[in-house]
Amino acid sequence: MSHTQAESVIKNIIREIALECAAKGHTVSETMVAFVVKAIVLDPRNGFNVDRTLTKNDVQKLIKLCVERLLDTRSPSLETIKMQVYFDLNYTNRGEFLDEHHRVLESRLASVRREITDSRARTAEELESLYRKIVSYVLLRSGLGSPTEIKVVREATAALQSVFPHTELGTFLSLVKKDKERQLKELTMIVTGIRLFNKDCGKGGEGIDDLPSILKEAIPATTKHIESELQSCQEMIYKYTAVIEEMDEKAEKINLLNLTQLKELLFNARQHEVFLNIIQSDVNTCAQQMEMIDKHYGSLIEQLRTTVQSKTAIPTAQVYPLFISLSKLWNNFQDEIVLLTVLSNTSANLQPFLGLHEELFPEHVIQPLLSDITVKTDEERIRESTGNPSIGILKHRERYYVFSSKDDAYMFAQDPDHYINLIGEKAKQCAEMIQLLELYQQFASITPYSQGHAAEKLLMKPITKCNSGTQTDTHILETNIVKLYEWNEWELRRKAIKLTNLRQKVTHSMQTHYSHMRRENFTQVYLPKQVGTQTKRDNSSNVPKPQVFLSGLRGCGLSKPTNMVKVNLTRDVEES
């Protein structure tokens, strides 16, 4: 089976599993189904061999196991996988999220911007309509108020008229499209800066929210909420860990509860802790950015006040850059608001994946088991397990490993690959451990790397390819043709010899007593007239045309004879 055929088979399996789950009242995404399919195939207990082609029975068995796994409402492992899939689909780092956010904003404004740049307004009504569209565009792009509120529109129009009066529309329409877009962007920033400065001076600011104050309240509240969730999660982790350690040491207590489910709940809580730490780190970054932006914003406002104070006329080159900088800082405030909202929503949306903790192991079940057990925190365990620095660090296959004791180090050093493979085998039985322990390299594909060259596989190693194209400019550099360039060395030699001969020649000149007073003379003559001679004359002659008239041919019958008279009417030659 080729790689393309294998992909087609897997897609059909995923689609069929999703349809069966939907028929039983559970809607699952194809991404979630794909994750479960991989988990089922990886688990050696299910008996799938990745080195042979799927048979019809294999496909039916795989579909059945996946549907059962997806419909299991009491599986902490499945809830952890759902949490991982949700986080992977909805979380991006700060830079990627802001880039995507700006791209979405630009796409939403594309239609309004196109109406302005493609306008061919000529009449007064059309120009007025175009100006109103520019005001709407400025409001939509800046996000300072709604373009449907009259007070907001009036304030934005007044600010725009101070920068871009109606008389400038003709010049604007004569620009090319890119220059129009650039000018619209600059006008938006300048108008935004003017409105923000007027708001700070108490002379405007209609519809503008106080984002710095909102952020100063929202960031600490979000941080406190996440820290509270993180603390509850860690307390749960410490309790689960203490109970599991106690049950491992005392086998008689194993029958008191389902140890497998408890471990799966521990994995679930650990994954939740990892995601909360990521979100908390981003919120802390928001707080740092907020502090820096607010400081720059305040200093810029003071600079504008100093520039504008008690002055009737201010050069635009002096004040416009300040307005533009003020607008950019305000955009940063807006980015932090959006980012903080997304982080808060992501944190809240992780809660549904934790519902089995209270259902399977409520507090009244766990608490009695902790009566004679010391619950330790992660920090305490780290301090206890920190070995002697002389144990050192072991490097194996470009990776570094540390150990809690010398005995563990000796055991690992005897056969590192064996212990590394044991971790992989455990992760195959608990697919959520692949992401929790970040075993991405070990599980980059289902097919073992050593057997990746085989022709028929269930799932092949991912092919790292992408469609790309390159374009080479015809003339990258400026045209510079040297006319005197000569590639032929023999021609260069000939020119060199010629120049050498010229250096040996001397130009002489002489002037005499008779010639030094002479000057250039010019003589003007009349050109001869054009004369024509006629040697013959054209002439013609006219020969008379013979004409004869016959009379007496009418009126004659049978009894009377015909008396015909012939008259010659031809003229003489002299008469013609």
Side-chain angles (χ1 to χ4, degrees), residues 372-384:
D372 56 347
I373 300 175
T374 302
V375 179
K376 300 177 183 179
T377 65
D378 286 347
E379 289 76 12
E380 292 173 348
R381 295 179 184 279
I382 291 174
R383 284 196 299 267
E384 292 178 359

Side-chain angles (χ1 to χ4, degrees), residues 272-285:
H272 186 222
E273 180 190 23
V274 171
F275 290 156
L276 286 179
N277 283 327
I278 293 173
I279 295 173
Q280 185 183 41
S281 175
D282 286 344
V283 173
N284 292 337
T285 303

Side-chain angles (χ1 to χ4, degrees), residues 107-313:
S107 64
R108 290 177 179 176
L109 292 172
S111 59
V112 182
R113 182 173 58 247
R114 193 181 304 113
E115 288 182 7
I116 297 173
T117 56
D118 294 347
S119 175
R120 296 294 182 266
R122 291 293 182 268
T123 64
E125 292 79 7
E126 292 175 346
L127 292 174
E128 183 63 29
S129 175
L130 175 62
Y131 199 84
R132 287 195 298 268
K133 289 180 181 179
I134 295 176
V135 174
S136 299
Y137 176 83
V138 169
L139 286 172
L140 290 172
R141 187 180 180 89
S142 64
L144 303 182
S146 172
T148 59
E149 296 182 9
I150 298 177
K151 293 182 179 180
V152 174
V153 174
R154 287 177 179 174
E155 182 179 323
T157 304
L160 182 63
Q161 287 177 346
S162 65
V163 179
F164 183 75
H166 287 77
T167 55
E168 296 292 331
L169 283 175
T171 305
F172 176 80
L173 290 172
S174 64
L175 299 175
V176 297
K177 187 171 185 178
K178 286 187 176 181
D179 291 339
K180 290 179 181 178
E181 293 176 351
R182 179 186 55 79
Q183 188 169 358
L184 285 174
K185 185 177 180 180
E186 290 181 356
L187 288 174
T188 301
M189 290 189 290
I190 295 173
V191 171
T192 301
I194 293 173
R195 293 187 64 201
L196 292 172
F197 180 69
N198 290 340
K199 178 180 182 298
D200 187 79
C201 297
K203 300 178 180 179
E206 189 69 33
I208 301 177
D209 296 325
D210 192 358
L211 296 187
S213 299
I214 295 175
L215 282 170
K216 289 177 182 178
E217 295 178 2
I219 290 178
T222 305
T223 303
K224 183 178 179 180
H225 176 70
I226 293 176
E227 288 178 351
S228 176
E229 286 190 358
L230 193 57
Q231 184 178 358
S232 301
C233 179
Q234 289 172 344
E235 290 176 356
M236 188 184 302
I237 289 171
Y238 302 153
K239 292 178 183 179
Y240 288 165
T241 305
V243 172
I244 292 172
E245 286 181 344
E246 180 71 12
M247 294 179 68
D248 285 339
E249 293 176 359
K250 299 179 181 180
E252 64 274 9
K253 290 187 177 182
I254 292 180
N255 295 328
L256 296 177
L257 71 168
N258 190 329
L259 186 60
T260 302
Q261 281 190 338
L262 185 60
K263 288 183 178 180
E264 290 180 353
L265 285 175
L266 176 60
F267 301 155
N268 181 271
R270 282 293 186 186
Q271 187 64 78
H272 186 222
E273 180 190 23
V274 171
F275 290 156
L276 286 179
N277 283 327
I278 293 173
I279 295 173
Q280 185 183 41
S281 175
D282 286 344
V283 173
N284 292 337
T285 303
C286 286
Q288 296 172 0
Q289 291 292 323
M290 165 61 193
E291 184 178 355
M292 181 181 64
I293 296 169
D294 189 51
K295 182 178 179 181
H296 290 172
Y297 187 83
S299 61
L300 196 58
I301 286 290
E302 290 297 327
Q303 187 177 356
L304 272 170
R305 286 177 180 174
T306 305
T307 305
V308 177
Q309 187 177 11
S310 66
K311 292 183 180 179
T312 56

Side-chain angles (χ1 to χ4, degrees), residues 16-75:
E16 187 170 349
I17 293 171
L19 290 175
E20 286 198 21
C21 291
K24 295 182 179 181
H26 288 75
T27 303
V28 291
S29 64
E30 291 191 358
T31 305
M32 181 65 191
V33 176
F35 200 107
V36 172
V37 168
K38 186 172 182 179
I40 296 294
V41 174
L42 276 174
D43 194 342
R45 296 173 296 184
N46 296 323
F48 288 101
N49 186 359
V50 297
D51 293 327
R52 64 177 174 82
T53 306
L54 282 175
T55 64
K56 186 176 181 180
N57 292 333
D58 291 335
V59 172
Q60 295 300 324
K61 179 183 177 181
L62 179 60
I63 293 174
K64 180 181 178 182
L65 290 174
C66 290
V67 171
E68 292 177 354
R69 182 75 177 273
L70 289 167
L71 298 181
D72 188 358
T73 58
R74 294 176 61 84
S75 172

Side-chain angles (χ1 to χ4, degrees), residues 438-451:
E438 299 182 358
L439 303 175
Y440 308 116
Q441 294 296 329
Q442 196 168 349
F443 291 92
S445 66
I446 292 179
T447 302
Y449 290 164
S450 59
Q451 304 172 10

